[in-house]
């Protein structure tokens, strides 16, 4: 049996270009997993094995790999930084026990790193911070530490100090041991010497070391007393306190270096082993019943307990579907039969493999704490729980945001539509934030996703991986409709066709609900005028109708229907009659209730250099943006705004032009807001024209 205390499941996450993938490469090299380090900018990184990743130099899907360091086994997941793929980060965090947050030494805390940090806080993941790229122009370790405090509201615990800065950066001083690690210029990570720190840094080392110990001993009252009396704690004791505080999320041990130049990576690995939790030290996953309510039981990390595992990612490759699973408790062996609680079906486990990016090593079995991939599972999707058929339980499922942008695609070659269907089916399994619909009227395939880049990459994958060339329509925004007035109305449905007919009469009010409340139904009928067994049918009729609004056919949101009264016929009334009455009532009343078009508003976070702030704000105003805050930083200004999605297409290109390539932005869906009249008219006209052509 392997010792669980020697396991570390960690993820590496950060903003685009902070150096996550490069850091992962260096870790793999140091741990002897690879012999030559691949570079992202050459398109050769190990974990970026998709063609699209190599070309664009960005990580798209989280890659899993494992390695050894100081006799500890690490399962590492390299996550993407790009805003359109935050879903990947989110689902990776769900199955990790700890993480390394990488920040750029010159860029500091960038918009996307804030989103990722928030996700990690929600998932309660302990982290170590690595401030990378200290060899760059404009890098400043102390400024980034301050930013982490101010922007993220976190408490960085500085463990090392840099020696020299920018091109003069040569190494670090370990505050605990007061020793300097100095690397030579060969670029090899193993070529370093441990020596005395430079004399001019003596004061800074003592100052920061004092801070470190003061913060650490707060975790142990006994040590604290001794320390206050003037006794210095032993290094082992300090380490124990740091570990306790890191796991409790009280602070985050902070390191620095340059992954590209191979300086400063080993101490980060040591920190992962020393301070991040093993699978048994994190809060166990709560188990839920079929409805998703917690049962009060937990999946305790223990190989002897019944099996509990979560499928967190599906990938399709040349060998068939790979299902990545994190085992929370119990064991999983080849040939076992497991139950998928979501579908209620059992599946037999064929091959279990350990992944190293896209190579694989066959395993006979795995146990609690492992992250492995299983080949050839049929009906498993992201977020499904696999468990022991004799002792079923469900783990808390994952929640995925709704897509905000859609495009229509059609295969260039008429004969390829079947091929397109199969390819899209595989892609949906892999990425839960990607949805597909078929337009009933025109037969067009509509792809929905989280942003332009997200859909752009999906079309690229269709072309390259699955060999389907498609024509792409203009991006469409997911508008919604709502109502603004309360209307009382009545509708009678009568049909007589020999024998028993259909009869249903309903009196009802339709009124606007609170924003974000969705659809509500209530019945206040008394005296049995509409028998109770028909209420669900009325509810069902209205609910089914809300998929199509009356203005331009977009789904209708935020309204409440109250069934007040009605009448029935002892013979002719049926559930179907009441459902049809409700559907017709919806079409009759909605146009009179002041229907209104709603548009998705995005929360936009823009970073702009000082010189271009005026242009950027002016441009956001032109896009109907509301400026919420401006935060001046060291090198530029962060502008927080709310903007309609329809105005944000192609924004990244415009922003780069205005800021000579230095601007960055991230955006995520915030809520729906009423559309201004002129915009609404335009959208309705366009939509109806499109419908008319079909």
């Amino acid at each position: 049996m392997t010792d669980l205390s020697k396991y570390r499941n960690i993820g590496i996450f950060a903003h685009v270009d902070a150096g996550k993938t490069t850091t992962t490469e260096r870790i793999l090299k140091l741990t002897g997993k690879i012999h030559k380090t691949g570079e992202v900018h050459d398109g050769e990184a190990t974990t970026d094995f998709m063609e699209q990743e190599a070309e664009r130099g960005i990580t798209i899907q989280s890659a899993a790999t494992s390695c050894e360091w100081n006799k500890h086994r690490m399962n590492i997941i390299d996550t993407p930084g790009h805003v359109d793929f935050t879903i990947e980060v989110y689902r990776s965090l769900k199955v990790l026990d700890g993480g390394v947050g990488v920040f750029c030494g010159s860029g500091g805390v960038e918009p996307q790193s804030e989103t990722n940090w928030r996700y990690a806080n929600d998932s309660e993941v302990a982290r170590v911070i690595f401030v990378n790229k200290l060899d760059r122009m404009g890098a400043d370790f102390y400024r980034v530490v301050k930013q982490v405090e101010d922007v993220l509201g976190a408490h960085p615990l500085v463990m090392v100090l840099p020696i020299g800065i920018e091109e003069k950066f040569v190494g670090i001083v370990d505050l605990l041991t007061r020793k300097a690690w100095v690397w030579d210029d060969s670029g090899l990570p193993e070529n370093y010497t441990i020596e005395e720190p430079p004399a001019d840094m003596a004061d800074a080392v003592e100052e920061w070391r004092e801070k470190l110990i003061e913060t650490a001993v707060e975790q142990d009252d006994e040590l604290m007393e001794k320390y206050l009396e003037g006794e210095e704690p032993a290094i082992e004791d300090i380490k124990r306190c740091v570990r306790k505080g890191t796991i409790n999320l009280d602070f985050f041990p902070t390191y620095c270096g340059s992954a590209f130049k191979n300086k400063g990576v080993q101490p980060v690995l040591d920190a992962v082993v020393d301070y991040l939790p093993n699978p048994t030290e994190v809060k166990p996953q709560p188990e839920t019943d079929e409805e998703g309510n917690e049962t009060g039981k937990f999946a305790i990390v223990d190989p002897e307990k019944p099996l509990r595992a979560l499928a967190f990612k599906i990938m399709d490759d040349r060998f068939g579907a790979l299902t990545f699973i994190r085992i929370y408790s119990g064991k999983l062996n080849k040939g076992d039969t497991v139950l998928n609680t979501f579908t209620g079906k059992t599946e037999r486990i064929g091959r279990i493999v350990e992944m190293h990016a896209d190579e694989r090593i066959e395993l006979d079995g795995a146990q609690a704490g492992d992250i492995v991939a299983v080949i050839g599972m049929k009906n498993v999707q992201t977020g499904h729980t696999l468990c022991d058929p004799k002792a079923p339980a469900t783990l808390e499922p994952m929640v995925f945001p709704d897509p905000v942008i859609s495009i229509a695609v059609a295969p260039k070659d008429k004969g390829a539509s079947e091929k397109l269907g199969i390819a899209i089916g595989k892609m949906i399994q892999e990425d839960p934030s990607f949805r597909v619909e078929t337009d009933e009227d025109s037969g067009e395939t509509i792809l929905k996703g989280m942003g332009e880049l997200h859909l752009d990459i999906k079309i690229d994958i269709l072309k390259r991986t699955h060999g389907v060339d498609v024509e792409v329509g203009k991006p469409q925004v997911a508008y919604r409709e709502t109502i603004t007035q309360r209307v009382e109305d009545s509708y009678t449905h009568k049909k007589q066709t020999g024998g028993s007919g259909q009869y249903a009469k309903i009196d009802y009010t339709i009124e606007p609900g609170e924003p974000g409340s969705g659809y509500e139904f209530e019945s206040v009928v008394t005296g049995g005028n509409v028998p109770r067994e028909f209420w669900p049918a009325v509810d069902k009729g209205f609910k089914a109708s809300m998929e199509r609004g009356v203005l331009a056919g977009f789904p209708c949101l935020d309204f409440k229907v109250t069934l007040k009264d009605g009448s029935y016929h002892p013979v002719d009334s049926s559930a179907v009659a009441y459902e049809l009455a409700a559907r017709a009532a919806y079409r009759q009343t909605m146009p009179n209730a002041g229907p209104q078009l709603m548009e998705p508003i995005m929360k936009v976070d823009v970073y702009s250099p000082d010189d271009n702030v005026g242009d950027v704000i002016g441009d956001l105003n032109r896009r109907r943006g509301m400026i919420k805050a401006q935060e001046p930083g060291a090198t530029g200004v962060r502008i927080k705004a709310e903007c309609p999605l329809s105005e944000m297409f192609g924004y990244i290109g415009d922003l780069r032009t205005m800021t000579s390539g230095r601007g960055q932005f991230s955006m995520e869906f915030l809520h729906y807001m009423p559309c201004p009249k002129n915009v609404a008219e335009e959208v309705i006209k366009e939509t109806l024209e499109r419908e008319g052509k079909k």
Side-chain angles (χ1 to χ4, degrees), residues 284-298:
Q285 283 282 328
E287 292 180 4
T288 59
D289 58 13
E290 276 129 26
E291 271 76 57
N293 306 317
E294 291 191 12
T295 56
K297 292 186 180 158
F298 290 92

Side-chain angles (χ1 to χ4, degrees), residues 8-262:
R8 297 287 182 274
N9 291 322
I10 60 164
I12 296 185
F13 52 94
H15 186 80
V16 182
D17 275 355
K20 301 175 289 301
T21 304
T22 309
T23 309
T24 312
E25 283 291 309
R26 300 303 182 259
I27 291 175
L28 295 176
K29 171 82 172 55
L30 276 170
T31 53
K33 256 300 188 183
I34 53 176
H35 300 296
K36 171 184 176 291
T37 41
E39 300 305 345
V40 177
H41 45 80
D42 300 337
E44 285 174 3
T46 315
T47 50
D48 287 359
F49 52 86
M50 286 169 62
E51 287 178 17
Q52 294 80 349
E53 296 181 308
E55 261 178 36
R56 298 171 191 239
I58 60 173
T59 307
I60 295 168
Q61 51 182 16
S62 356
T65 175
S66 44
C67 53
E68 292 233 337
W69 180 254
N70 283 355
K71 301 192 178 110
H72 284 65
R73 175 187 163 110
M74 292 189 195
N75 293 317
I76 302 176
I77 294 185
D78 175 28
T79 61
H82 227 284
V83 58
D84 290 8
F85 309 107
T86 35
I87 183 96
E88 286 277 344
V89 179
Y90 181 69
R91 62 175 172 187
S92 309
L93 283 170
K94 184 101 178 115
V95 297
L96 296 173
D97 305 327
V100 179
V102 182
F103 294 105
C104 167
S106 58
V109 177
E110 292 159 304
Q112 192 54 32
S113 23
E114 209 174 319
T115 315
N116 289 350
W117 194 265
R118 204 169 61 240
Y119 279 156
N121 284 344
D122 294 346
S123 307
E124 299 185 358
V125 173
R127 281 146 284 174
V128 172
I129 293 175
F130 177 54
V131 179
N132 189 16
K133 302 192 175 181
L134 283 189
D135 56 329
R136 273 206 166 167
M137 285 289 291
D140 182 344
F141 173 66
Y142 300 102
R143 189 183 77 236
V144 180
V145 168
K146 182 110 179 64
Q147 268 189 323
V148 170
E149 282 177 6
D150 299 346
V151 178
L152 302 176
H155 184 173
L157 184 68
V158 177
M159 304 293 289
V160 301
L161 293 182
I163 306 174
I165 202 76
E166 298 179 0
E167 69 270 15
K168 294 193 181 75
F169 173 71
V170 292
I172 56 170
V173 176
D174 182 344
L175 291 176
L176 283 178
T177 55
R178 297 193 177 89
K179 292 285 186 228
W181 294 52
V182 179
W183 279 266
D184 63 13
D185 288 337
S186 63
L188 294 169
E190 49 275 8
N191 289 1
Y192 65 91
T193 50
I194 290 185
E195 47 196 72
E196 291 303 311
D200 58 349
M201 285 181 69
D203 294 348
V205 168
E206 288 311 311
E207 178 193 339
W208 283 94
R209 189 169 190 267
E210 198 167 304
K211 276 191 195 169
L212 163 69
I213 296 174
E214 276 175 13
T215 312
V217 292
E218 284 174 8
Q219 300 288 331
D220 185 325
D221 295 345
E222 216 173 290
L223 276 181
M224 189 155 173
E225 275 177 28
K226 285 184 179 166
Y227 179 68
L228 290 173
E229 284 162 12
E231 186 181 324
E232 169 135 333
I235 286 183
E236 269 55 53
D237 288 337
I238 302 175
K239 277 189 165 173
R240 194 184 71 242
C241 289
V242 172
R243 181 175 182 92
K244 186 178 164 199
T246 308
I247 294 174
N248 289 342
L249 305 184
D250 292 341
F251 44 71
F252 303 94
T254 302
Y255 291 80
C256 63
S258 160
F260 184 53
K261 296 274 175 63
N262 271 314

Side-chain angles (χ1 to χ4, degrees), residues 22 199 325 460 689:
T22 309
I325 53 176
D460 207 31
E689 274 176 9

Side-chain angles (χ1 to χ4, degrees), residues 486-500:
R486 179 173 185 267
V487 178
E488 280 197 36
D489 210 344
S490 152
Y491 186 82
T492 309
H493 172 74
K494 258 191 211 155
K495 212 168 180 186
Q496 199 66 43
T497 49
S500 67

Side-chain angles (χ1 to χ4, degrees), residues 13 81 98 235 247 282 454 470 490 526 641 675:
F13 52 94
I235 286 183
I247 294 174
V282 282
H454 188 193
V470 289
S490 152
T526 50
C675 243

Side-chain angles (χ1 to χ4, degrees), residues 553-579:
F554 295 110
C556 196
L557 293 181
D558 307 339
F559 67 98
K560 180 179 177 184
V561 176
T562 310
L563 182 61
K564 291 200 127 161
D565 204 0
S567 61
Y568 81 110
H569 187 282
V571 178
D572 291 356
S573 286
S574 62
V576 170
Y578 277 101
E579 189 182 327

